[in-house]
Amino acid sequence: MDTVVAIAESVRKGEKRAVEVAETALARIEERDKDLHAFLAVARDELFAQARAVDDKRARGEALGPLAGVPIALKDALCMRGVPTTSGSKMLEGWRPPYDATVVARLRAADALLPGKTNLDEFAMGSSTESSAYGPTRNPVDPTRTPGGSSGGSAVAVAAGMSPASLGSDTGGSIRQPAAFTGVVGLKPTYGRVSRFGLVAFASSLDQIGPFATDVRGAARVLSVIAGHDPKDMTSLTADLGDYEAACGASVRGLRLGVPEEYFAEGLDPEVEASIREAIAALETDGCTVRPVKLPHTRHAVATYYVIATAEASSNLARFDGVRYGLRVEPKPASGKSQGSALRAMYGATRDAGFGPEVKRRILLGTFVLSAGYYDAYYLKAQKVRTLIRRDFDAAFADVDAIVCPTAPTPPFKLGEKTSDPLSMYLSDVYTLPASLAGLPAISVPCAPTRAGLPVGLQIITRSLEETTALSLAAAVEAAGSRRGEGRR
Ligand code: GLN
C-alpha cells in the first residue's frame, strides 16, 4: 500500500480520487480481515461520504488538507460520532457516542478518511489484544502469533495494508509494542501533546494518543495534524509544535545516543538484541555517538506501573455502572429489599456481566492499593518510585540526546501463550513502561527481523516535547534498513 504522504499528494494533485482510495482500502479489508480481525466496525457509508466530500472539494477548486484521502483507522477506544465505540468491552456494546474525539475532529478537518474502529484489549488493558470481548486479532506476519496490544487492531490495519496509518493509545506501551510486533512505525508522543478528549480513559496520568504508519514520515504527518493544545483536555500542553515532517530525513550527525544497560538484561531474546545492536551501529555509521547510560530504577517500573495504572483504572471505570452508558443488567428481583439495595444490585449485576476477567482483576487490584491502610504502602510508594524513574531519565538526558533500546524483550509471542499467566504478560511491557511513567515521547521503528522473519522494533526515547529528534533517528534507522533491502511487506 502507498504511504500516507504518497496518497495525500496524489489526491491533492488529482492523480487519484479519494473514492478510489476508499474502494481499495475497503477491498483490502474485505480480503484480509476475515482472518486477522483487526476491525470491530467498518464505517463503509461514512467512508464513502467522506471520500466524495474530498473529491467534491477538489472539484470546487478548494485547497485540500494534509491528509487528503488518506484512510486512518481508529482504535475503538476513540469516539467517532454515531459509530459504535466499545473499547473492546461488552460493557459498551451498542453505545454510539454523540460526539467526535478531538483527534477525530482534527483528522476530519485535514480531509482524512475514517474506515472504522479497530480491536483492542478490553479497555486497553493488555499486551496482546486477547482480552478483547470480541476475540483476538492475529499477527499478519504469522497468524498463530499475537500482534501485541493493546492497540493490536490498529497496528494490524497498517501492517496488513488495510490502512496506511491509524491511531492508537499508549498507557504503558500499547502503541510501541504492537508496532514492534507487526513491523510498523508507532509513536507515543509526550504526555499532554495530543488531546485525549473523547478517548475512553484507562489511566489518566499515563494515557496518550499517537499514530501508527507504514513509514516514519507518515507517522510525522499524522502527528502534526492531531497534536496541539485543546481546552477540552486539562492536561493538554500549550507548547509550540515541532516541524515533525521536516525532522524526517534531517541529519542525525553528532546526536548523542545512550544505551541503557538495564534494557539489555536477562530475558532479552538474543536475536532481538542482535537486531537492536545492528540498528544502533547503523546510527553510529550515520555520525551519532554512542555511550552507555544508567537508568537504575528500571527494575521497579513494572511494579510501579501496575499499582498506579490499576489505581487510576479503578476510579475511571467506576462510571460504568449501568446508569448512563451501554449495558444494564437487571438483577433478579429480591422481595423485601430497599430501593437503595436494588440499585446496588443493578450496579453489581451490570459490572459482573459487563467486565471481563482482566478488567475485574485490575479494578480489584486498584481498589486495594487505594484503600485506607494500604494507600501509603502501595499507591504513595509507587508515586515516589515514579519520581525516581523520571529522575533517572533527567540524569541520562544531561549527557545524551536520545535513549535507544529494544521496544519489547521478545519477538511476537504465540496466541494463548501468556493468557493464563498475567505476570508474564505484564513483564512483556518492561521496556515500554519507564518512558510512560516519565511522560516522555518514544517511537518504535522496525529494524532487522529475526531469522524466522518475525518483526523487531527499536525504541527511541527522547526528552519531553522532542518528538522531532526521535523522528529524525527513526527515519535514519528506516533508511539504513531499506539500504540493506529489508523491504516492507
Ligand atoms: N500492556 C500494558 C497494560 O496492560 C499497557 C497497556 C496500554 O498501554 N494501554 O496495562
Side-chain angles (χ1 to χ4, degrees):
M1 163 166 270
D2 282 341
T3 63
V4 167
V5 173
I7 294 174
E9 296 318 305
S10 60
V11 170
R12 281 219 260 193
K13 288 190 196 131
E15 293 162 2
K16 205 181 260 174
R17 285 178 305 125
V19 167
E20 292 172 70
V21 180
E23 279 163 358
T24 309
L26 210 56
R28 187 77 182 165
I29 293 170
E30 270 158 18
E31 178 197 333
R32 299 289 276 141
D33 211 41
K34 290 188 294 290
D35 302 326
L36 298 173
H37 191 43
F39 282 86
L40 290 179
V42 177
R44 176 191 296 265
D45 295 345
E46 292 252 353
L47 174 66
F48 281 105
Q50 291 151 3
R52 277 193 302 271
V54 172
D55 289 335
D56 290 348
K57 197 170 168 184
R58 188 172 184 284
R60 289 195 301 273
E62 289 174 37
L64 295 184
L67 294 173
V70 179
I72 303 199
L74 302 172
K75 184 178 188 176
D76 200 32
L78 289 163
C79 292
M80 175 175 170
R81 192 189 319 122
V83 175
T85 297
T86 66
S87 211
S89 183
K90 288 279 175 228
M91 190 58 103
L92 282 174
E93 196 162 24
W95 182 64
R96 290 173 190 259
Y99 66 99
D100 277 337
T102 295
V103 289
V104 174
R106 289 187 178 179
L107 292 178
R108 286 192 204 272
D111 291 324
L113 310 181
L114 306 171
K117 311 297 295 290
T118 60
N119 199 11
L120 67 156
D121 283 295
E122 185 175 3
F123 287 109
M125 296 173 187
S127 311
S128 68
T129 320
E130 291 169 292
S131 79
S132 168
Y134 304 97
T137 298
R138 291 175 183 274
N139 193 320
V141 181
D142 173 354
T144 66
R145 292 177 192 271
T146 129
S150 65
S151 316
S154 283
V156 171
V158 174
M162 298 187 271
S163 191
S166 60
L167 295 188
S169 64
D170 189 313
T171 304
S174 280
I175 294 174
R176 290 160 284 159
Q177 184 253 25
F181 275 17
T182 57
V184 302
V185 176
L187 170 66
K188 180 196 93 74
T190 307
Y191 180 74
R193 181 69 296 179
V194 177
S195 165
R196 290 104 37 98
F197 177 75
L199 170 72
V200 178
F202 163 12
S204 303
S205 76
L206 296 154
D207 295 342
Q208 184 59 199
I209 297 168
F212 290 93
T214 52
D215 68 339
V216 178
R217 194 162 162 215
R221 182 166 295 191
V222 175
L223 178 65
S224 62
V225 167
I226 62 172
H229 182 246
D230 176 15
K232 291 182 184 142
D233 175 354
M234 68 177 185
T235 65
S236 168
L237 300 172
T238 52
D240 289 342
L241 301 189
D243 190 341
Y244 302 123
E245 227 177 306
C248 307
S251 170
V252 297
R253 184 161 297 280
L255 287 177
R256 299 162 303 163
L257 308 182
V259 179
E261 62 190 36
E262 295 82 0
Y263 285 59
F264 291 83
E266 204 194 316
L268 175 60
D269 179 276
E271 282 200 70
V272 171
E273 173 165 1
S275 171
I276 297 300
R277 297 223 185 258
E278 182 186 299
I280 295 171
L283 288 170
E284 213 169 355
T285 310
D286 282 342
C288 295
T289 59
V290 178
R291 70 189 72 183
V293 289
K294 282 203 165 49
L295 297 170
H297 295 92
T298 301
R299 66 200 168 92
H300 301 301
V302 174
T304 304
Y305 170 86
Y306 279 94
V307 170
I308 292 173
T310 56
E312 294 182 15
S314 72
S315 162
N316 273 327
L317 270 55
R319 76 191 66 178
F320 301 108
D321 55 8
V323 176
R324 277 181 302 173
Y325 311 98
L327 188 74
R328 174 181 299 186
V329 178
E330 296 296 346
K332 292 189 185 61
S335 58
K337 288 268 173 74
S338 70
Q339 246 187 352
S341 65
L343 181 65
R344 276 195 297 279
M346 189 280 284
Y347 293 161
T350 300
R351 288 167 70 82
D352 187 32
F355 291 137
E358 182 59 28
V359 174
K360 286 178 181 157
R361 176 159 38 239
R362 305 243 182 154
I363 293 172
L364 287 171
L365 204 59
T367 308
F368 175 75
V369 299
L370 287 174
S371 58
Y374 292 103
Y375 182 95
D376 288 2
Y378 293 105
Y379 184 70
L380 196 63
K381 172 85 65 66
Q383 294 290 12
K384 290 177 180 169
V385 180
R386 182 177 190 173
T387 301
L388 296 175
I389 291 172
R390 202 180 280 134
R391 286 190 191 149
D392 280 357
F393 281 105
D394 290 345
F397 284 126
D399 297 323
V400 299
D401 302 303
I403 288 167
V404 286
C405 56
T407 303
T410 64
F413 45 88
K414 295 264 186 193
L415 287 162
E417 192 179 317
K418 296 183 194 279
T419 39
S420 56
D421 183 355
L423 188 58
S424 88
M425 189 73 91
Y426 297 172
L427 285 170
S428 68
D429 304 329
V430 41
Y431 299 146
T432 48
L433 297 176
S436 295
L437 289 164
L440 299 172
I443 193 167
S444 179
V445 62
C447 45
T450 65
R451 279 190 298 276
L454 297 175
V456 175
L458 173 76
Q459 178 175 220
I460 304 164
I461 307 169
T462 56
R463 295 184 196 100
S464 197
L465 292 172
E466 291 188 4
E467 283 83 0
T468 41
T469 307
L471 287 162
S472 298
L473 289 163
V477 171
E478 183 177 63
S482 45
R483 280 198 299 276
R484 278 197 313 273
E486 285 155 20
R488 275 193 308 277
R489 274 167 295 275

PDB file of all heavy atoms in Angstrom, residues 75 124-127 150 169-174 202 305-306 362 429, ligand 1:
ATOM      1  N   LYS A  75      -8.488   3.261  16.785  1.00  0.00           N
ATOM      2  CA  LYS A  75      -8.652   2.318  17.903  1.00  0.00           C
ATOM      3  C   LYS A  75     -10.040   2.512  18.488  1.00  0.00           C
ATOM      4  O   LYS A  75     -10.496   3.657  18.661  1.00  0.00           O
ATOM      5  CB  LYS A  75      -7.578   2.612  18.954  1.00  0.00           C
ATOM      6  CG  LYS A  75      -7.561   1.642  20.126  1.00  0.00           C
ATOM      7  CD  LYS A  75      -6.426   1.982  21.090  1.00  0.00           C
ATOM      8  CE  LYS A  75      -6.236   0.931  22.171  1.00  0.00           C
ATOM      9  NZ  LYS A  75      -5.076   1.213  23.044  1.00  0.00           N
ATOM     10  N   ALA A 124      -8.254  -1.310  26.865  1.00  0.00           N
ATOM     11  CA  ALA A 124      -6.805  -1.103  26.611  1.00  0.00           C
ATOM     12  C   ALA A 124      -5.921  -1.772  27.657  1.00  0.00           C
ATOM     13  O   ALA A 124      -4.756  -1.421  27.812  1.00  0.00           O
ATOM     14  CB  ALA A 124      -6.466   0.383  26.479  1.00  0.00           C
ATOM     15  N   MET A 125      -6.481  -2.770  28.370  1.00  0.00           N
ATOM     16  CA  MET A 125      -5.710  -3.449  29.411  1.00  0.00           C
ATOM     17  C   MET A 125      -5.187  -4.773  28.878  1.00  0.00           C
ATOM     18  O   MET A 125      -5.894  -5.778  28.874  1.00  0.00           O
ATOM     19  CB  MET A 125      -6.589  -3.695  30.629  1.00  0.00           C
ATOM     20  CG  MET A 125      -7.038  -2.395  31.253  1.00  0.00           C
ATOM     21  SD  MET A 125      -8.220  -2.696  32.541  1.00  0.00           S
ATOM     22  CE  MET A 125      -8.709  -1.007  32.901  1.00  0.00           C
ATOM     23  N   GLY A 126      -3.933  -4.751  28.430  1.00  0.00           N
ATOM     24  CA  GLY A 126      -3.348  -5.979  27.938  1.00  0.00           C
ATOM     25  C   GLY A 126      -2.220  -5.683  26.972  1.00  0.00           C
ATOM     26  O   GLY A 126      -1.954  -4.527  26.627  1.00  0.00           O
ATOM     27  N   SER A 127      -1.532  -6.739  26.554  1.00  0.00           N
ATOM     28  CA  SER A 127      -0.366  -6.602  25.684  1.00  0.00           C
ATOM     29  C   SER A 127      -0.469  -7.535  24.489  1.00  0.00           C
ATOM     30  O   SER A 127       0.534  -7.865  23.865  1.00  0.00           O
ATOM     31  CB  SER A 127       0.900  -6.938  26.467  1.00  0.00           C
ATOM     32  OG  SER A 127       0.917  -6.243  27.690  1.00  0.00           O
ATOM     33  N   SER A 150      -2.087  -2.918  23.677  1.00  0.00           N
ATOM     34  CA  SER A 150      -3.494  -3.162  23.450  1.00  0.00           C
ATOM     35  C   SER A 150      -4.007  -2.703  22.096  1.00  0.00           C
ATOM     36  O   SER A 150      -5.065  -3.156  21.662  1.00  0.00           O
ATOM     37  CB  SER A 150      -4.303  -2.470  24.544  1.00  0.00           C
ATOM     38  OG  SER A 150      -4.151  -1.058  24.461  1.00  0.00           O
ATOM     39  N   SER A 169      -3.771   4.222  21.330  1.00  0.00           N
ATOM     40  CA  SER A 169      -3.473   4.932  22.572  1.00  0.00           C
ATOM     41  C   SER A 169      -2.439   4.099  23.311  1.00  0.00           C
ATOM     42  O   SER A 169      -2.365   2.879  23.137  1.00  0.00           O
ATOM     43  CB  SER A 169      -4.729   5.119  23.421  1.00  0.00           C
ATOM     44  OG  SER A 169      -5.232   3.868  23.821  1.00  0.00           O
ATOM     45  N   ASP A 170      -1.607   4.799  24.074  1.00  0.00           N
ATOM     46  CA  ASP A 170      -0.472   4.157  24.734  1.00  0.00           C
ATOM     47  C   ASP A 170      -0.458   4.629  26.180  1.00  0.00           C
ATOM     48  O   ASP A 170      -0.296   5.814  26.454  1.00  0.00           O
ATOM     49  CB  ASP A 170       0.807   4.577  23.987  1.00  0.00           C
ATOM     50  CG  ASP A 170       2.056   3.818  24.430  1.00  0.00           C
ATOM     51  OD1 ASP A 170       2.262   3.712  25.642  1.00  0.00           O
ATOM     52  OD2 ASP A 170       2.830   3.373  23.555  1.00  0.00           O
ATOM     53  N   THR A 171      -0.670   3.684  27.095  1.00  0.00           N
ATOM     54  CA  THR A 171      -0.680   3.987  28.523  1.00  0.00           C
ATOM     55  C   THR A 171       0.607   3.454  29.137  1.00  0.00           C
ATOM     56  O   THR A 171       1.197   4.075  30.016  1.00  0.00           O
ATOM     57  CB  THR A 171      -1.922   3.325  29.166  1.00  0.00           C
ATOM     58  OG1 THR A 171      -3.079   3.795  28.476  1.00  0.00           O
ATOM     59  CG2 THR A 171      -2.040   3.626  30.644  1.00  0.00           C
ATOM     60  N   GLY A 172       1.034   2.283  28.618  1.00  0.00           N
ATOM     61  CA  GLY A 172       2.279   1.686  29.104  1.00  0.00           C
ATOM     62  C   GLY A 172       3.031   0.983  27.981  1.00  0.00           C
ATOM     63  O   GLY A 172       3.907   0.168  28.246  1.00  0.00           O
ATOM     64  N   GLY A 173       2.639   1.267  26.743  1.00  0.00           N
ATOM     65  CA  GLY A 173       3.331   0.616  25.619  1.00  0.00           C
ATOM     66  C   GLY A 173       2.416   0.222  24.485  1.00  0.00           C
ATOM     67  O   GLY A 173       2.865  -0.362  23.494  1.00  0.00           O
ATOM     68  N   SER A 174       1.142   0.524  24.618  1.00  0.00           N
ATOM     69  CA  SER A 174       0.135  -0.012  23.693  1.00  0.00           C
ATOM     70  C   SER A 174       0.203   0.476  22.264  1.00  0.00           C
ATOM     71  O   SER A 174      -0.527  -0.030  21.417  1.00  0.00           O
ATOM     72  CB  SER A 174      -1.261   0.267  24.235  1.00  0.00           C
ATOM     73  OG  SER A 174      -1.560  -0.691  25.209  1.00  0.00           O
ATOM     74  N   PHE A 202      -8.312   5.110  30.571  1.00  0.00           N
ATOM     75  CA  PHE A 202      -7.818   3.928  31.296  1.00  0.00           C
ATOM     76  C   PHE A 202      -7.078   4.455  32.527  1.00  0.00           C
ATOM     77  O   PHE A 202      -7.578   4.363  33.647  1.00  0.00           O
ATOM     78  CB  PHE A 202      -6.969   3.092  30.338  1.00  0.00           C
ATOM     79  CG  PHE A 202      -6.048   2.064  30.956  1.00  0.00           C
ATOM     80  CD1 PHE A 202      -6.126   1.683  32.285  1.00  0.00           C
ATOM     81  CD2 PHE A 202      -5.098   1.437  30.151  1.00  0.00           C
ATOM     82  CE1 PHE A 202      -5.261   0.722  32.828  1.00  0.00           C
ATOM     83  CE2 PHE A 202      -4.234   0.482  30.684  1.00  0.00           C
ATOM     84  CZ  PHE A 202      -4.305   0.140  32.023  1.00  0.00           C
ATOM     85  N   TYR A 305       4.156   0.706  37.705  1.00  0.00           N
ATOM     86  CA  TYR A 305       3.088   0.925  36.718  1.00  0.00           C
ATOM     87  C   TYR A 305       1.826   0.164  37.111  1.00  0.00           C
ATOM     88  O   TYR A 305       0.717   0.705  37.038  1.00  0.00           O
ATOM     89  CB  TYR A 305       3.558   0.471  35.333  1.00  0.00           C
ATOM     90  CG  TYR A 305       2.447   0.440  34.302  1.00  0.00           C
ATOM     91  CD1 TYR A 305       2.116   1.584  33.583  1.00  0.00           C
ATOM     92  CD2 TYR A 305       1.724  -0.731  34.054  1.00  0.00           C
ATOM     93  CE1 TYR A 305       1.086   1.567  32.649  1.00  0.00           C
ATOM     94  CE2 TYR A 305       0.696  -0.749  33.118  1.00  0.00           C
ATOM     95  CZ  TYR A 305       0.387   0.393  32.416  1.00  0.00           C
ATOM     96  OH  TYR A 305      -0.627   0.370  31.498  1.00  0.00           O
ATOM     97  N   TYR A 306       1.955  -1.080  37.516  1.00  0.00           N
ATOM     98  CA  TYR A 306       0.758  -1.875  37.796  1.00  0.00           C
ATOM     99  C   TYR A 306       0.076  -1.501  39.109  1.00  0.00           C
ATOM    100  O   TYR A 306      -1.041  -1.932  39.362  1.00  0.00           O
ATOM    101  CB  TYR A 306       1.038  -3.384  37.655  1.00  0.00           C
ATOM    102  CG  TYR A 306       0.978  -3.775  36.188  1.00  0.00           C
ATOM    103  CD1 TYR A 306       2.127  -3.819  35.410  1.00  0.00           C
ATOM    104  CD2 TYR A 306      -0.247  -3.995  35.560  1.00  0.00           C
ATOM    105  CE1 TYR A 306       2.066  -4.109  34.052  1.00  0.00           C
ATOM    106  CE2 TYR A 306      -0.314  -4.288  34.209  1.00  0.00           C
ATOM    107  CZ  TYR A 306       0.836  -4.346  33.457  1.00  0.00           C
ATOM    108  OH  TYR A 306       0.764  -4.617  32.110  1.00  0.00           O
ATOM    109  N   ARG A 362      -7.920  -5.889  37.455  1.00  0.00           N
ATOM    110  CA  ARG A 362      -7.323  -4.555  37.628  1.00  0.00           C
ATOM    111  C   ARG A 362      -8.149  -3.689  38.580  1.00  0.00           C
ATOM    112  O   ARG A 362      -7.594  -2.922  39.356  1.00  0.00           O
ATOM    113  CB  ARG A 362      -7.202  -3.873  36.274  1.00  0.00           C
ATOM    114  CG  ARG A 362      -6.422  -4.720  35.286  1.00  0.00           C
ATOM    115  CD  ARG A 362      -5.182  -4.079  34.848  1.00  0.00           C
ATOM    116  NE  ARG A 362      -4.512  -4.914  33.861  1.00  0.00           N
ATOM    117  CZ  ARG A 362      -3.701  -4.440  32.939  1.00  0.00           C
ATOM    118  NH1 ARG A 362      -3.465  -3.145  32.870  1.00  0.00           N
ATOM    119  NH2 ARG A 362      -3.105  -5.248  32.095  1.00  0.00           N
ATOM    120  N   ASP A 429       5.894  -5.772  29.026  1.00  0.00           N
ATOM    121  CA  ASP A 429       5.900  -4.306  28.931  1.00  0.00           C
ATOM    122  C   ASP A 429       7.133  -3.683  29.570  1.00  0.00           C
ATOM    123  O   ASP A 429       7.220  -2.461  29.690  1.00  0.00           O
ATOM    124  CB  ASP A 429       4.689  -3.715  29.672  1.00  0.00           C
ATOM    125  CG  ASP A 429       3.371  -4.266  29.186  1.00  0.00           C
ATOM    126  OD1 ASP A 429       3.279  -4.598  28.002  1.00  0.00           O
ATOM    127  OD2 ASP A 429       2.427  -4.345  30.002  1.00  0.00           O
TER     128      ASP A 429
HETATM  129  N1  GLN B   1       0.169  -3.637  28.407  1.00  0.00           N
HETATM  130  C1  GLN B   1       0.002  -2.579  29.362  1.00  0.00           C
HETATM  131  C2  GLN B   1      -1.191  -2.864  30.229  1.00  0.00           C
HETATM  132  O1  GLN B   1      -1.710  -3.915  30.111  1.00  0.00           O
HETATM  133  C3  GLN B   1      -0.148  -1.271  28.652  1.00  0.00           C
HETATM  134  C4  GLN B   1      -1.463  -1.099  28.021  1.00  0.00           C
HETATM  135  C5  GLN B   1      -1.619   0.226  27.365  1.00  0.00           C
HETATM  136  O2  GLN B   1      -0.640   0.924  27.087  1.00  0.00           O
HETATM  137  N2  GLN B   1      -2.867   0.608  27.158  1.00  0.00           N
HETATM  138  O3  GLN B   1      -1.596  -2.077  31.020  1.00  0.00           O
END
